Amino acid sequence: MQLICKYWRLVGLVLVFLFFFRDAVAAPDFEALEKSVVRIVTKTSQGIGTGTGFVINDRGYIATNVHVIADGSLIKTIPTNSNTLYDVDVIAMSYEFDLAIVRAPGINLPPITLSLAPSRKGQKVWAIGYPGGADRNRPAYDPTVQDGVIGRIFSGAWKTQKFRIIQHNAPTNPGNSGGPLLDDCGRVIGVNTQASLVVIAGPSDGVTRVHHAAGIYWSSHIEELAKLLRDNAISFQSEDDACLTADSTGRSAEAERTKTQADDASQRFLIWIILLGAVALAALILALKKPRQQIIHVAEYISQHLKAKEPIGTVQKRVTEKLPEHGLMLAGFDGNGNPIRIALPPNRFAGQRLGISLGRHPELVNEIIQDQNVSRRHARIAVQAGQFYIEDLNSRNGTFLNHHKLSPFQPMLLDYGALVRLGGLEFRVSKLE
């Protein structure tokens, strides 16, 4: 009886986990990202102003808003978790888009990546910066993080020239201006600029702008910052592939398919739990009437069929995926002429139902290829009926087999001697003895 009670407690915990956390996604690594975010301090005729900026390359270039620095007779920047002030030189400004590029010579901070992938309504976003209200008793040495979603992306203007503006509900306050708006992968998709305002006509004082609606905040779309950087020949790092998190509205077709498979697996698991509960109840009744050996027999019977994932009461032949006799070797060179060898022996594919994925992101693929022309999840090699197949995973620069570009998620037979190109890297496929 105690064993059965423990069993049901475990079942309850598993069900709670599946219900509440099966779609959970890890947030960006803010401890790493905040190192790229700085406070910008200005001396104006009205006192001291504060805003936010973020580092865009390893030469000390920082992006922010024009209105953060425009009235400053003296401009300084302070890195996260530091009280050191660095002098700032203004490099470029766009009053129409309220964007500015400054440089802090001598500052040595990691740059943050810009995302040139399309953003969508409902997408999860994060605002990070230095709101002045967070300075209680003393200045805050680390930035504040707030989350929200994109409400809409529309054509608007800060002044007269129209461009794309992101409306979201990640709270931003005075001091957040110039800070980055991030996606779930920790990449910049916009520059936080304004909260919603309304113009009120006064009886004698003309007009007044006051904060109007809670939950409405505006950011310049990242494409305008990228254009300003290109126009001024300022280097920056960017990615244009979609963020591959499970709850991202912009998930790729492969991520969508993986999510569907996970949902199906959860439903099957739930059915098995119900079936096991019924059998456990039957076993409990049987325990009152039959000897202990009969109970053991029933438990073993259930366990064997559960492990085999076969319907109880039927006999089915378990099919094991046939592995090829020999493995694969992909041999080529990187952009610097250094040799690259990717060895895939047959046992690498054992238990890998979806195959071996290739790309440059260490947490998303099985085999890492360090090249900027290779996507984070670029391609996959799988085994079916003892033969190798290669499949493009909706990569940015494509996967080519014998000079033929593969359609995403359409596996093609991969023979020994074939020529495979991933981005700009070419590999010759040979037999691995």
Side-chain angles (χ1 to χ4, degrees), residues 84-118:
T84 302
L85 278 75
Y86 290 84
D87 292 328
V88 167
D89 299 323
V90 178
I91 305 299
M93 292 195 299
S94 170
Y95 285 90
E96 284 290 339
F97 303 135
D98 200 355
L99 293 172
I101 308 298
V102 301
R103 188 185 182 199
I107 203 168
N108 184 21
L109 297 174
I112 195 166
T113 300
L114 311 188
S115 172
L116 304 182

PDB file of all heavy atoms in Angstrom, residues 84-118:
ATOM      1  N   THR A  84      33.485  53.722 -12.911  1.00  0.00           N
ATOM      2  CA  THR A  84      34.449  54.415 -13.761  1.00  0.00           C
ATOM      3  C   THR A  84      33.718  55.159 -14.874  1.00  0.00           C
ATOM      4  O   THR A  84      32.871  54.570 -15.561  1.00  0.00           O
ATOM      5  CB  THR A  84      35.445  53.419 -14.382  1.00  0.00           C
ATOM      6  OG1 THR A  84      36.112  52.710 -13.328  1.00  0.00           O
ATOM      7  CG2 THR A  84      36.472  54.146 -15.238  1.00  0.00           C
ATOM      8  N   LEU A  85      34.019  56.447 -15.042  1.00  0.00           N
ATOM      9  CA  LEU A  85      33.412  57.247 -16.088  1.00  0.00           C
ATOM     10  C   LEU A  85      34.362  57.359 -17.271  1.00  0.00           C
ATOM     11  O   LEU A  85      35.547  57.671 -17.109  1.00  0.00           O
ATOM     12  CB  LEU A  85      33.067  58.648 -15.579  1.00  0.00           C
ATOM     13  CG  LEU A  85      31.741  58.796 -14.802  1.00  0.00           C
ATOM     14  CD1 LEU A  85      31.894  58.234 -13.406  1.00  0.00           C
ATOM     15  CD2 LEU A  85      31.319  60.252 -14.761  1.00  0.00           C
ATOM     16  N   TYR A  86      33.842  57.082 -18.476  1.00  0.00           N
ATOM     17  CA  TYR A  86      34.636  57.183 -19.700  1.00  0.00           C
ATOM     18  C   TYR A  86      34.131  58.369 -20.531  1.00  0.00           C
ATOM     19  O   TYR A  86      32.927  58.591 -20.656  1.00  0.00           O
ATOM     20  CB  TYR A  86      34.509  55.898 -20.527  1.00  0.00           C
ATOM     21  CG  TYR A  86      35.194  54.707 -19.913  1.00  0.00           C
ATOM     22  CD1 TYR A  86      34.556  53.940 -18.937  1.00  0.00           C
ATOM     23  CD2 TYR A  86      36.479  54.331 -20.304  1.00  0.00           C
ATOM     24  CE1 TYR A  86      35.177  52.830 -18.375  1.00  0.00           C
ATOM     25  CE2 TYR A  86      37.107  53.225 -19.751  1.00  0.00           C
ATOM     26  CZ  TYR A  86      36.447  52.480 -18.784  1.00  0.00           C
ATOM     27  OH  TYR A  86      37.065  51.388 -18.232  1.00  0.00           O
ATOM     28  N   ASP A  87      35.080  59.112 -21.113  1.00  0.00           N
ATOM     29  CA  ASP A  87      34.706  60.203 -22.016  1.00  0.00           C
ATOM     30  C   ASP A  87      34.056  59.637 -23.272  1.00  0.00           C
ATOM     31  O   ASP A  87      34.380  58.528 -23.720  1.00  0.00           O
ATOM     32  CB  ASP A  87      35.947  61.020 -22.396  1.00  0.00           C
ATOM     33  CG  ASP A  87      36.512  61.785 -21.211  1.00  0.00           C
ATOM     34  OD1 ASP A  87      35.718  62.196 -20.346  1.00  0.00           O
ATOM     35  OD2 ASP A  87      37.741  61.963 -21.147  1.00  0.00           O
ATOM     36  N   VAL A  88      33.164  60.403 -23.859  1.00  0.00           N
ATOM     37  CA  VAL A  88      32.406  59.954 -25.026  1.00  0.00           C
ATOM     38  C   VAL A  88      32.551  60.968 -26.157  1.00  0.00           C
ATOM     39  O   VAL A  88      32.422  62.169 -25.946  1.00  0.00           O
ATOM     40  CB  VAL A  88      30.918  59.755 -24.666  1.00  0.00           C
ATOM     41  CG1 VAL A  88      30.082  59.597 -25.924  1.00  0.00           C
ATOM     42  CG2 VAL A  88      30.741  58.551 -23.767  1.00  0.00           C
ATOM     43  N   ASP A  89      32.817  60.459 -27.374  1.00  0.00           N
ATOM     44  CA  ASP A  89      32.830  61.279 -28.584  1.00  0.00           C
ATOM     45  C   ASP A  89      31.589  60.947 -29.409  1.00  0.00           C
ATOM     46  O   ASP A  89      31.256  59.769 -29.598  1.00  0.00           O
ATOM     47  CB  ASP A  89      34.077  60.984 -29.425  1.00  0.00           C
ATOM     48  CG  ASP A  89      35.363  61.294 -28.667  1.00  0.00           C
ATOM     49  OD1 ASP A  89      35.378  62.281 -27.912  1.00  0.00           O
ATOM     50  OD2 ASP A  89      36.349  60.547 -28.833  1.00  0.00           O
ATOM     51  N   VAL A  90      30.900  61.971 -29.900  1.00  0.00           N
ATOM     52  CA  VAL A  90      29.733  61.760 -30.753  1.00  0.00           C
ATOM     53  C   VAL A  90      30.203  61.497 -32.176  1.00  0.00           C
ATOM     54  O   VAL A  90      30.936  62.289 -32.757  1.00  0.00           O
ATOM     55  CB  VAL A  90      28.782  62.975 -30.711  1.00  0.00           C
ATOM     56  CG1 VAL A  90      27.596  62.744 -31.641  1.00  0.00           C
ATOM     57  CG2 VAL A  90      28.301  63.216 -29.282  1.00  0.00           C
ATOM     58  N   ILE A  91      29.769  60.373 -32.739  1.00  0.00           N
ATOM     59  CA  ILE A  91      30.202  59.964 -34.078  1.00  0.00           C
ATOM     60  C   ILE A  91      29.156  60.293 -35.134  1.00  0.00           C
ATOM     61  O   ILE A  91      29.470  60.819 -36.196  1.00  0.00           O
ATOM     62  CB  ILE A  91      30.517  58.455 -34.105  1.00  0.00           C
ATOM     63  CG1 ILE A  91      31.554  58.111 -33.033  1.00  0.00           C
ATOM     64  CG2 ILE A  91      30.990  58.031 -35.488  1.00  0.00           C
ATOM     65  CD1 ILE A  91      32.883  58.803 -33.205  1.00  0.00           C
ATOM     66  N   ALA A  92      27.894  59.963 -34.864  1.00  0.00           N
ATOM     67  CA  ALA A  92      26.828  60.186 -35.859  1.00  0.00           C
ATOM     68  C   ALA A  92      25.501  60.343 -35.138  1.00  0.00           C
ATOM     69  O   ALA A  92      25.279  59.748 -34.076  1.00  0.00           O
ATOM     70  CB  ALA A  92      26.761  59.028 -36.854  1.00  0.00           C
ATOM     71  N   MET A  93      24.604  61.150 -35.732  1.00  0.00           N
ATOM     72  CA  MET A  93      23.274  61.337 -35.151  1.00  0.00           C
ATOM     73  C   MET A  93      22.238  61.414 -36.267  1.00  0.00           C
ATOM     74  O   MET A  93      22.500  61.938 -37.342  1.00  0.00           O
ATOM     75  CB  MET A  93      23.211  62.610 -34.305  1.00  0.00           C
ATOM     76  CG  MET A  93      24.043  62.567 -33.036  1.00  0.00           C
ATOM     77  SD  MET A  93      23.617  63.884 -31.854  1.00  0.00           S
ATOM     78  CE  MET A  93      23.997  65.345 -32.809  1.00  0.00           C
ATOM     79  N   SER A  94      21.047  60.898 -35.987  1.00  0.00           N
ATOM     80  CA  SER A  94      19.898  61.039 -36.878  1.00  0.00           C
ATOM     81  C   SER A  94      18.740  61.584 -36.047  1.00  0.00           C
ATOM     82  O   SER A  94      18.140  60.850 -35.253  1.00  0.00           O
ATOM     83  CB  SER A  94      19.517  59.691 -37.500  1.00  0.00           C
ATOM     84  OG  SER A  94      18.280  59.790 -38.176  1.00  0.00           O
ATOM     85  N   TYR A  95      18.443  62.859 -36.211  1.00  0.00           N
ATOM     86  CA  TYR A  95      17.360  63.475 -35.448  1.00  0.00           C
ATOM     87  C   TYR A  95      16.000  62.908 -35.867  1.00  0.00           C
ATOM     88  O   TYR A  95      15.088  62.788 -35.041  1.00  0.00           O
ATOM     89  CB  TYR A  95      17.383  64.996 -35.631  1.00  0.00           C
ATOM     90  CG  TYR A  95      18.477  65.685 -34.855  1.00  0.00           C
ATOM     91  CD1 TYR A  95      19.730  65.887 -35.414  1.00  0.00           C
ATOM     92  CD2 TYR A  95      18.262  66.096 -33.536  1.00  0.00           C
ATOM     93  CE1 TYR A  95      20.746  66.504 -34.698  1.00  0.00           C
ATOM     94  CE2 TYR A  95      19.265  66.712 -32.817  1.00  0.00           C
ATOM     95  CZ  TYR A  95      20.510  66.915 -33.397  1.00  0.00           C
ATOM     96  OH  TYR A  95      21.516  67.524 -32.680  1.00  0.00           O
ATOM     97  N   GLU A  96      15.863  62.549 -37.148  1.00  0.00           N
ATOM     98  CA  GLU A  96      14.581  62.014 -37.616  1.00  0.00           C
ATOM     99  C   GLU A  96      14.243  60.696 -36.923  1.00  0.00           C
ATOM    100  O   GLU A  96      13.103  60.450 -36.558  1.00  0.00           O
ATOM    101  CB  GLU A  96      14.621  61.811 -39.136  1.00  0.00           C
ATOM    102  CG  GLU A  96      14.488  63.091 -39.939  1.00  0.00           C
ATOM    103  CD  GLU A  96      13.084  63.686 -39.845  1.00  0.00           C
ATOM    104  OE1 GLU A  96      12.132  62.952 -39.515  1.00  0.00           O
ATOM    105  OE2 GLU A  96      12.947  64.896 -40.083  1.00  0.00           O
ATOM    106  N   PHE A  97      15.252  59.835 -36.741  1.00  0.00           N
ATOM    107  CA  PHE A  97      15.017  58.521 -36.147  1.00  0.00           C
ATOM    108  C   PHE A  97      15.389  58.478 -34.669  1.00  0.00           C
ATOM    109  O   PHE A  97      15.254  57.423 -34.035  1.00  0.00           O
ATOM    110  CB  PHE A  97      15.816  57.452 -36.909  1.00  0.00           C
ATOM    111  CG  PHE A  97      15.490  57.402 -38.379  1.00  0.00           C
ATOM    112  CD1 PHE A  97      16.505  57.322 -39.318  1.00  0.00           C
ATOM    113  CD2 PHE A  97      14.176  57.453 -38.813  1.00  0.00           C
ATOM    114  CE1 PHE A  97      16.215  57.278 -40.672  1.00  0.00           C
ATOM    115  CE2 PHE A  97      13.877  57.411 -40.168  1.00  0.00           C
ATOM    116  CZ  PHE A  97      14.889  57.321 -41.100  1.00  0.00           C
ATOM    117  N   ASP A  98      15.869  59.620 -34.121  1.00  0.00           N
ATOM    118  CA  ASP A  98      16.281  59.707 -32.719  1.00  0.00           C
ATOM    119  C   ASP A  98      17.311  58.621 -32.389  1.00  0.00           C
ATOM    120  O   ASP A  98      17.204  57.918 -31.380  1.00  0.00           O
ATOM    121  CB  ASP A  98      15.066  59.590 -31.786  1.00  0.00           C
ATOM    122  CG  ASP A  98      15.377  60.155 -30.389  1.00  0.00           C
ATOM    123  OD1 ASP A  98      16.541  60.529 -30.138  1.00  0.00           O
ATOM    124  OD2 ASP A  98      14.457  60.187 -29.552  1.00  0.00           O
ATOM    125  N   LEU A  99      18.312  58.488 -33.248  1.00  0.00           N
ATOM    126  CA  LEU A  99      19.364  57.494 -33.053  1.00  0.00           C
ATOM    127  C   LEU A  99      20.715  58.190 -33.087  1.00  0.00           C
ATOM    128  O   LEU A  99      20.936  59.115 -33.875  1.00  0.00           O
ATOM    129  CB  LEU A  99      19.319  56.422 -34.143  1.00  0.00           C
ATOM    130  CG  LEU A  99      18.091  55.502 -34.146  1.00  0.00           C
ATOM    131  CD1 LEU A  99      18.094  54.622 -35.383  1.00  0.00           C
ATOM    132  CD2 LEU A  99      18.060  54.643 -32.879  1.00  0.00           C
ATOM    133  N   ALA A 100      21.614  57.745 -32.220  1.00  0.00           N
ATOM    134  CA  ALA A 100      22.951  58.328 -32.157  1.00  0.00           C
ATOM    135  C   ALA A 100      23.980  57.222 -31.961  1.00  0.00           C
ATOM    136  O   ALA A 100      23.711  56.198 -31.318  1.00  0.00           O
ATOM    137  CB  ALA A 100      23.045  59.344 -31.019  1.00  0.00           C
ATOM    138  N   ILE A 101      25.167  57.454 -32.531  1.00  0.00           N
ATOM    139  CA  ILE A 101      26.310  56.567 -32.338  1.00  0.00           C
ATOM    140  C   ILE A 101      27.404  57.377 -31.652  1.00  0.00           C
ATOM    141  O   ILE A 101      27.788  58.450 -32.142  1.00  0.00           O
ATOM    142  CB  ILE A 101      26.838  55.994 -33.666  1.00  0.00           C
ATOM    143  CG1 ILE A 101      25.710  55.359 -34.477  1.00  0.00           C
ATOM    144  CG2 ILE A 101      27.952  54.995 -33.402  1.00  0.00           C
ATOM    145  CD1 ILE A 101      25.043  54.197 -33.802  1.00  0.00           C
ATOM    146  N   VAL A 102      27.895  56.896 -30.530  1.00  0.00           N
ATOM    147  CA  VAL A 102      28.988  57.549 -29.820  1.00  0.00           C
ATOM    148  C   VAL A 102      30.116  56.537 -29.652  1.00  0.00           C
ATOM    149  O   VAL A 102      29.937  55.338 -29.872  1.00  0.00           O
ATOM    150  CB  VAL A 102      28.535  58.088 -28.453  1.00  0.00           C
ATOM    151  CG1 VAL A 102      27.405  59.095 -28.616  1.00  0.00           C
ATOM    152  CG2 VAL A 102      28.091  56.954 -27.529  1.00  0.00           C
ATOM    153  N   ARG A 103      31.265  57.037 -29.258  1.00  0.00           N
ATOM    154  CA  ARG A 103      32.398  56.150 -29.022  1.00  0.00           C
ATOM    155  C   ARG A 103      33.064  56.514 -27.711  1.00  0.00           C
ATOM    156  O   ARG A 103      33.260  57.699 -27.412  1.00  0.00           O
ATOM    157  CB  ARG A 103      33.410  56.235 -30.163  1.00  0.00           C
ATOM    158  CG  ARG A 103      34.500  55.179 -30.034  1.00  0.00           C
ATOM    159  CD  ARG A 103      35.563  55.327 -31.097  1.00  0.00           C
ATOM    160  NE  ARG A 103      36.568  54.275 -30.978  1.00  0.00           N
ATOM    161  CZ  ARG A 103      37.769  54.336 -31.506  1.00  0.00           C
ATOM    162  NH1 ARG A 103      38.135  55.401 -32.201  1.00  0.00           N
ATOM    163  NH2 ARG A 103      38.614  53.329 -31.358  1.00  0.00           N
ATOM    164  N   ALA A 104      33.396  55.495 -26.919  1.00  0.00           N
ATOM    165  CA  ALA A 104      34.114  55.677 -25.660  1.00  0.00           C
ATOM    166  C   ALA A 104      35.493  55.040 -25.813  1.00  0.00           C
ATOM    167  O   ALA A 104      35.645  53.827 -25.604  1.00  0.00           O
ATOM    168  CB  ALA A 104      33.355  55.040 -24.499  1.00  0.00           C
ATOM    169  N   PRO A 105      36.505  55.811 -26.237  1.00  0.00           N
ATOM    170  CA  PRO A 105      37.851  55.243 -26.405  1.00  0.00           C
ATOM    171  C   PRO A 105      38.354  54.649 -25.093  1.00  0.00           C
ATOM    172  O   PRO A 105      38.183  55.226 -24.019  1.00  0.00           O
ATOM    173  CB  PRO A 105      38.699  56.448 -26.833  1.00  0.00           C
ATOM    174  CG  PRO A 105      37.717  57.436 -27.381  1.00  0.00           C
ATOM    175  CD  PRO A 105      36.467  57.250 -26.572  1.00  0.00           C
ATOM    176  N   GLY A 106      38.937  53.482 -25.160  1.00  0.00           N
ATOM    177  CA  GLY A 106      39.478  52.846 -23.964  1.00  0.00           C
ATOM    178  C   GLY A 106      38.522  51.905 -23.280  1.00  0.00           C
ATOM    179  O   GLY A 106      38.934  51.106 -22.432  1.00  0.00           O
ATOM    180  N   ILE A 107      37.238  51.962 -23.620  1.00  0.00           N
ATOM    181  CA  ILE A 107      36.291  51.049 -23.002  1.00  0.00           C
ATOM    182  C   ILE A 107      36.418  49.688 -23.686  1.00  0.00           C
ATOM    183  O   ILE A 107      36.586  49.597 -24.898  1.00  0.00           O
ATOM    184  CB  ILE A 107      34.847  51.587 -23.108  1.00  0.00           C
ATOM    185  CG1 ILE A 107      33.967  50.980 -22.011  1.00  0.00           C
ATOM    186  CG2 ILE A 107      34.243  51.344 -24.485  1.00  0.00           C
ATOM    187  CD1 ILE A 107      32.624  51.672 -21.869  1.00  0.00           C
ATOM    188  N   ASN A 108      36.391  48.629 -22.927  1.00  0.00           N
ATOM    189  CA  ASN A 108      36.587  47.287 -23.480  1.00  0.00           C
ATOM    190  C   ASN A 108      35.453  46.388 -23.001  1.00  0.00           C
ATOM    191  O   ASN A 108      35.544  45.739 -21.965  1.00  0.00           O
ATOM    192  CB  ASN A 108      37.942  46.721 -23.046  1.00  0.00           C
ATOM    193  CG  ASN A 108      38.229  45.366 -23.683  1.00  0.00           C
ATOM    194  OD1 ASN A 108      37.641  45.022 -24.706  1.00  0.00           O
ATOM    195  ND2 ASN A 108      39.129  44.605 -23.075  1.00  0.00           N
ATOM    196  N   LEU A 109      34.369  46.389 -23.777  1.00  0.00           N
ATOM    197  CA  LEU A 109      33.182  45.624 -23.406  1.00  0.00           C
ATOM    198  C   LEU A 109      32.743  44.757 -24.578  1.00  0.00           C
ATOM    199  O   LEU A 109      32.961  45.112 -25.742  1.00  0.00           O
ATOM    200  CB  LEU A 109      32.044  46.570 -23.006  1.00  0.00           C
ATOM    201  CG  LEU A 109      32.292  47.448 -21.786  1.00  0.00           C
ATOM    202  CD1 LEU A 109      31.137  48.436 -21.604  1.00  0.00           C
ATOM    203  CD2 LEU A 109      32.457  46.602 -20.528  1.00  0.00           C
ATOM    204  N   PRO A 110      32.094  43.611 -24.298  1.00  0.00           N
ATOM    205  CA  PRO A 110      31.643  42.739 -25.397  1.00  0.00           C
ATOM    206  C   PRO A 110      30.497  43.374 -26.160  1.00  0.00           C
ATOM    207  O   PRO A 110      29.589  43.958 -25.570  1.00  0.00           O
ATOM    208  CB  PRO A 110      31.192  41.464 -24.675  1.00  0.00           C
ATOM    209  CG  PRO A 110      30.819  41.925 -23.297  1.00  0.00           C
ATOM    210  CD  PRO A 110      31.784  43.040 -22.982  1.00  0.00           C
ATOM    211  N   PRO A 111      30.514  43.280 -27.494  1.00  0.00           N
ATOM    212  CA  PRO A 111      29.402  43.835 -28.281  1.00  0.00           C
ATOM    213  C   PRO A 111      28.174  42.942 -28.213  1.00  0.00           C
ATOM    214  O   PRO A 111      28.264  41.743 -27.918  1.00  0.00           O
ATOM    215  CB  PRO A 111      29.969  43.878 -29.703  1.00  0.00           C
ATOM    216  CG  PRO A 111      30.978  42.773 -29.728  1.00  0.00           C
ATOM    217  CD  PRO A 111      31.571  42.719 -28.341  1.00  0.00           C
ATOM    218  N   ILE A 112      27.022  43.517 -28.487  1.00  0.00           N
ATOM    219  CA  ILE A 112      25.765  42.781 -28.494  1.00  0.00           C
ATOM    220  C   ILE A 112      25.335  42.600 -29.962  1.00  0.00           C
ATOM    221  O   ILE A 112      25.596  43.455 -30.803  1.00  0.00           O
ATOM    222  CB  ILE A 112      24.694  43.536 -27.681  1.00  0.00           C
ATOM    223  CG1 ILE A 112      23.505  42.643 -27.353  1.00  0.00           C
ATOM    224  CG2 ILE A 112      24.255  44.801 -28.353  1.00  0.00           C
ATOM    225  CD1 ILE A 112      22.599  43.219 -26.273  1.00  0.00           C
ATOM    226  N   THR A 113      24.698  41.486 -30.258  1.00  0.00           N
ATOM    227  CA  THR A 113      24.334  41.149 -31.639  1.00  0.00           C
ATOM    228  C   THR A 113      22.996  41.782 -32.023  1.00  0.00           C
ATOM    229  O   THR A 113      22.057  41.785 -31.222  1.00  0.00           O
ATOM    230  CB  THR A 113      24.240  39.619 -31.796  1.00  0.00           C
ATOM    231  OG1 THR A 113      25.510  39.043 -31.489  1.00  0.00           O
ATOM    232  CG2 THR A 113      23.856  39.238 -33.221  1.00  0.00           C
ATOM    233  N   LEU A 114      22.926  42.315 -33.236  1.00  0.00           N
ATOM    234  CA  LEU A 114      21.673  42.841 -33.771  1.00  0.00           C
ATOM    235  C   LEU A 114      20.957  41.738 -34.543  1.00  0.00           C
ATOM    236  O   LEU A 114      21.585  40.966 -35.265  1.00  0.00           O
ATOM    237  CB  LEU A 114      21.931  44.027 -34.695  1.00  0.00           C
ATOM    238  CG  LEU A 114      22.849  45.145 -34.203  1.00  0.00           C
ATOM    239  CD1 LEU A 114      22.821  46.308 -35.189  1.00  0.00           C
ATOM    240  CD2 LEU A 114      22.457  45.609 -32.809  1.00  0.00           C
ATOM    241  N   SER A 115      19.643  41.656 -34.391  1.00  0.00           N
ATOM    242  CA  SER A 115      18.848  40.677 -35.132  1.00  0.00           C
ATOM    243  C   SER A 115      18.153  41.366 -36.297  1.00  0.00           C
ATOM    244  O   SER A 115      17.317  42.248 -36.099  1.00  0.00           O
ATOM    245  CB  SER A 115      17.796  40.030 -34.222  1.00  0.00           C
ATOM    246  OG  SER A 115      16.917  39.229 -34.986  1.00  0.00           O
ATOM    247  N   LEU A 116      18.486  40.948 -37.501  1.00  0.00           N
ATOM    248  CA  LEU A 116      17.849  41.477 -38.705  1.00  0.00           C
ATOM    249  C   LEU A 116      16.737  40.556 -39.192  1.00  0.00           C
ATOM    250  O   LEU A 116      16.192  40.748 -40.281  1.00  0.00           O
ATOM    251  CB  LEU A 116      18.899  41.672 -39.804  1.00  0.00           C
ATOM    252  CG  LEU A 116      20.090  42.571 -39.420  1.00  0.00           C
ATOM    253  CD1 LEU A 116      21.033  42.741 -40.590  1.00  0.00           C
ATOM    254  CD2 LEU A 116      19.615  43.922 -38.914  1.00  0.00           C
ATOM    255  N   ALA A 117      16.401  39.550 -38.387  1.00  0.00           N
ATOM    256  CA  ALA A 117      15.283  38.663 -38.719  1.00  0.00           C
ATOM    257  C   ALA A 117      13.961  39.416 -38.519  1.00  0.00           C
ATOM    258  O   ALA A 117      13.874  40.326 -37.695  1.00  0.00           O
ATOM    259  CB  ALA A 117      15.315  37.421 -37.839  1.00  0.00           C
ATOM    260  N   PRO A 118      12.919  39.042 -39.258  1.00  0.00           N
ATOM    261  CA  PRO A 118      11.625  39.724 -39.097  1.00  0.00           C
ATOM    262  C   PRO A 118      11.066  39.550 -37.681  1.00  0.00           C
ATOM    263  O   PRO A 118      11.112  38.464 -37.119  1.00  0.00           O
ATOM    264  CB  PRO A 118      10.729  39.031 -40.138  1.00  0.00           C
ATOM    265  CG  PRO A 118      11.667  38.410 -41.115  1.00  0.00           C
ATOM    266  CD  PRO A 118      12.890  38.033 -40.338  1.00  0.00           C
TER     267      PRO A 118
END
